[in-house]
Amino acid sequence: MGTLVSVNVGMPRDVVWHGRTVRTGVWKQPVAGPVMLRRLNLDGDGQGDLGGHGGEQRAVLVYQLDSYRHWQRELGRDDLSHGNFGENFTVDGLPDDEVCIGDRYRVGEAVVEVTQPRVTCYRVGLRMGEPRLPALLVAHHRPGFYLRVLTEGLVQAGDEFVKLSTGPEAMTVAEIDALLYLPGHPRDGAERALRIPALSPGWQESMRALLAQEEGREGNAGLVATVAPPAWAGFRPLTVIGYEEVTRDVFSLLLASADGVPLPAALPGQFLTLRLPAPDGPLIRSYSLSGTPGDAVYRISVKQEPHGAAGAYLRANMRPGVTVEAAAPRGTFTLEPGDGPVLLLSAGIGVTPVLAMLHALAAQGSARQVWWVHGARDRAEHAFAAEAAALLARLPGGHAHICYSRPGPDDLAGRDFTTASRVTADVLRGLRLPVDTVAYLCGPAAFMTEVSAALGELGLSAVHTELFGAQPGLTPGIAAAAAVAPHAPAGDPGPGPAVSFARSGLTVPWDPAFASLLELAEACDVPVRWSCRIGVCHTCESGLLSGDVAYLPDPVDPPADGNVLICCARPQTDLTLDI
């Protein structure tokens, strides 16, 4: 079936790339003689980013001589040597279109099993000096594959791969790689993949997500969460028809269509983005919808921060009859259908999206067990207390636990709150939540980090979170640096269209010196998420609130309608991005 031509190892090293330091183990060098293959690694080998590489399911990366010859022709390279693609085993034979997930082989003293294709990562392009390579590996059906070690043992160049068994479904590496990354995503293919026990857990999760994706819905649910496309493109005028003070620093607005036609239904948990006039350019802010999903009008609730320009503008100017520009409801932090127990957990103004979920459950007359847990400073800052209590009273399985961190002198335990503390691990432990509870969390970042960890310790695995403002960045392998507030890029302003980063509160002109919107965002220190940087992995997929883009190169699989892959997109018009 194949021959082990070279065993390649290398420990992680720091590499300077685009002015940043990357920690990577992609540099592999051939080693002579026997090498011990262990459950997690070859002796002398390591990975720089265990989130994307390494571990039991990805102990060994395999790449083929035939693919080396292919890339020599395609890329015009005559400088390729064993280990250049970051592989541990360079092999003769074992092509991706013949090797199947779940195949087992004996090589030397070891027994190994095929678990998944190579993941799409920019570092193989970094190693080869060819940034297009992550996309090319997928498009040319030559990804290579990972092995799990079933029996440890010595291996060395010259060892033969002896096939012991074929994986169930006989699904090749190339086939399952195309199933996830290329357009189409046939459901029967995902069903077949899930019948292969050896398929790594991450890929199983992707296959389940593809199966759960609604028929005809655009986007790749195997890589990113998908929802229905936005109800309208860009921004449209909505009319304020109601204003309500909720607490001393929280107020709600009711928004309706200017022509009185009912507004498109939003999903419980989604948000609305407003574009507000300001002397130095528009203020773009997003606010969760807090009313009953499906109402003919939208309710948003706003907390006015001490120095918040948008909150101050809305409080001073939004009265019935005033018009405001709004993008369609968006967001993937939404209540999932089901009949199992639900935990709606929030702190402060984080109550708003989970309140919409509570409205939805009450409107359905849901028989689900529902735990409503909220943390506030005191009764004066406890937004929507009476509204939430009335909704819970309509749910036969409703439970409430309210925490006041500093109860006021007139706040009564048992009437206004349950526990005089923050929402802590002890509070959550006392709820005795079933392990199949689906949790929805919204609040300050530190609160969600602490509470998510506590729920994990309790055995809850389905935990969904929503963070207001800019999302945390994901920059694999990049050394941590001190956080910097988003700012205009260095140098003179560019001559191109205006690009607004809505969550970061920044608008800057496009400069064609940047290769992509991702590069512009990085120059502005806007938090971004990416992995392949060439239109394959969809990690960078972001909401396109308004405007048009062009791709260079075209993505391997287009994003969902209303979204954009910022790693390979450039603006054609003024843009508003949900980052």
Side-chain angles (χ1 to χ4, degrees):
M1 288 296 297
T3 303
L4 180 54
V5 174
S6 179
V7 178
N8 315 302
V9 301
M11 296 302 293
R13 64 171 74 173
D14 290 336
V15 178
V16 176
W17 172 78
H18 291 189
R20 291 174 285 184
T21 300
V22 178
R23 186 72 171 168
T24 177
V26 74
W27 267 262
K28 308 294 185 188
Q29 299 296 330
V31 291
V35 182
M36 188 66 183
L37 176 57
R38 304 187 189 278
R39 184 176 65 88
L40 297 180
N41 241 330
L42 286 158
D43 281 357
D45 192 51
Q47 293 79 33
D49 173 20
L50 292 176
H53 306 274
E56 183 176 353
Q57 300 292 327
R58 300 173 296 204
V60 179
L61 179 60
V62 178
Y63 211 54
Q64 307 90 350
L65 281 180
D66 184 61
S67 288
Y68 268 84
R69 291 187 283 266
H70 174 82
W71 296 120
Q72 285 173 333
R73 294 189 301 270
E74 287 289 324
L75 302 177
R77 300 282 290 263
D78 60 3
D79 59 340
L80 303 182
S81 58
H82 301 154
N84 275 183
F85 288 84
E87 80 276 10
N88 300 112
F89 286 172
T90 311
V91 299
D92 189 9
L94 302 180
D96 290 333
D97 59 0
E98 293 183 11
V99 171
C100 298
I101 304 298
D103 283 359
R104 292 185 176 186
Y105 299 91
R106 182 180 301 280
V107 54
E109 298 176 352
V111 176
V112 294
E113 181 178 62
V114 180
T115 57
Q116 67 169 72
R118 174 205 299 265
V119 294
T120 57
C121 172
Y122 76 105
R123 280 163 286 204
V124 65
L126 166 63
R127 172 67 179 88
M128 295 286 290
E130 176 48 82
R132 299 175 300 158
L133 199 54
L136 293 174
L137 293 174
V138 172
H140 288 237
H141 307 284
R142 293 178 178 270
F145 55 88
Y146 283 106
L147 299 174
R148 180 164 71 106
V149 178
L150 302 179
T151 302
E152 297 181 345
L154 293 170
V155 296
Q156 63 181 323
D159 286 342
E160 297 294 322
F161 281 81
V162 178
K163 191 172 187 180
L164 304 178
S165 62
T166 299
E169 301 297 322
M171 194 169 201
T172 69
V173 169
E175 185 178 1
I176 198 168
D177 194 62
L179 173 62
L180 179 59
Y181 290 116
L182 296 180
H185 319 295
R187 298 178 69 84
D188 59 345
E191 290 170 347
R192 285 178 57 208
L194 286 170
R195 293 195 289 267
I196 307 173
L199 183 64
S200 67
W203 279 68
Q204 290 185 27
E205 184 178 344
S206 291
M207 295 300 112
R208 284 192 288 269
L210 288 175
L211 279 179
Q213 186 169 355
E214 290 185 15
E215 290 280 1
R217 176 172 292 175
E218 294 186 3
N220 188 332
L223 298 175
V224 293
T226 62
V227 294
W232 65 83
F235 289 85
R236 62 173 283 189
L238 298 181
T239 300
V240 178
I241 61 169
Y243 176 96
E244 177 189 6
E245 294 283 353
V246 179
T247 68
R248 58 175 170 251
D249 58 2
V250 175
F251 59 94
S252 293
L253 300 175
L254 287 178
L255 304 173
S257 171
D259 57 9
V261 175
L263 291 170
L267 296 175
Q270 289 191 309
F271 60 86
L272 201 66
T273 301
L274 305 184
R275 184 164 62 189
L276 310 172
D280 297 326
L283 295 172
I284 300 174
R285 298 291 188 271
S286 296
Y287 301 102
S288 292
L289 292 157
S290 59
T292 304
D295 277 355
V297 300
Y298 294 153
R299 184 179 75 174
I300 61 170
S301 299
V302 180
K303 180 178 181 181
Q304 184 178 350
E305 302 291 352
H307 303 290
Y313 175 86
L314 289 171
R315 192 163 221 163
N317 295 281
M318 293 298 106
R319 293 295 181 267
V322 174
T323 297
V324 62
E325 290 186 302
R330 288 177 177 260
T332 57
F333 179 72
T334 57
L335 181 67
E336 297 176 352
D339 54 12
V342 176
L343 169 65
L344 303 178
L345 176 53
S346 60
I349 194 59
V351 68
T352 51
V354 293
L355 181 62
M357 297 179 186
L358 186 62
H359 269 286
L361 291 165
Q364 297 164 7
S366 176
R368 301 171 75 171
Q369 294 295 307
V370 178
W371 279 266
W372 175 262
V373 180
H374 179 68
R377 180 187 177 94
D378 54 24
R379 183 174 60 173
E381 295 191 9
H382 184 180
F384 304 107
E387 184 173 326
L391 293 170
L392 284 165
R394 294 162 55 186
L395 295 172
H399 314 270
H401 194 109
I402 306 301
C403 295
Y404 284 178
S405 59
R406 296 185 182 180
D410 297 327
D411 298 345
L412 293 180
R415 183 195 69 184
D416 303 312
F417 65 96
T418 314
T419 303
S421 75
R422 297 180 299 106
V423 179
T424 64
D426 287 339
V427 167
L428 297 175
R429 194 175 298 112
L431 300 178
R432 301 185 181 278
L433 298 167
V435 293
D436 61 340
T437 299
V438 180
Y440 299 88
L441 281 63
C442 188
F447 162 82
M448 290 201 294
T449 298
E450 180 180 338
V451 168
S452 294
L455 293 175
E457 293 174 1
L458 294 177
L460 273 66
S461 58
V463 178
H464 306 278
T465 61
E466 175 80 326
L467 181 65
F468 294 155
Q471 303 298 302
L474 177 65
T475 56
I478 302 294
V484 177
H487 56 84
D492 295 332
V499 178
S500 296
F501 300 102
R503 288 179 182 259
S504 300
L506 178 69
T507 299
V508 295
W510 168 253
D511 190 330
F514 295 109
S516 66
L517 289 166
L518 172 59
E519 288 194 4
L520 173 63
E522 290 173 326
C524 298
D525 283 307
V526 169
V528 286
R529 302 174 67 82
W530 52 265
S531 181
C532 74
R533 301 183 69 93
I534 199 66
V536 184
C537 71
H538 287 237
T539 303
C540 74
E541 186 167 335
S542 305
L544 178 60
L545 299 176
S546 67
D548 297 305
V549 301
Y551 286 107
L552 185 67
D554 286 332
V556 171
D557 189 17
D561 185 26
N563 287 354
V564 59
L565 299 182
I566 63 171
C567 71
C568 53
R570 301 180 179 194
Q572 297 294 96
T573 64
D574 290 352
L575 294 183
T576 305
L577 302 172
D578 184 33
I579 56 177

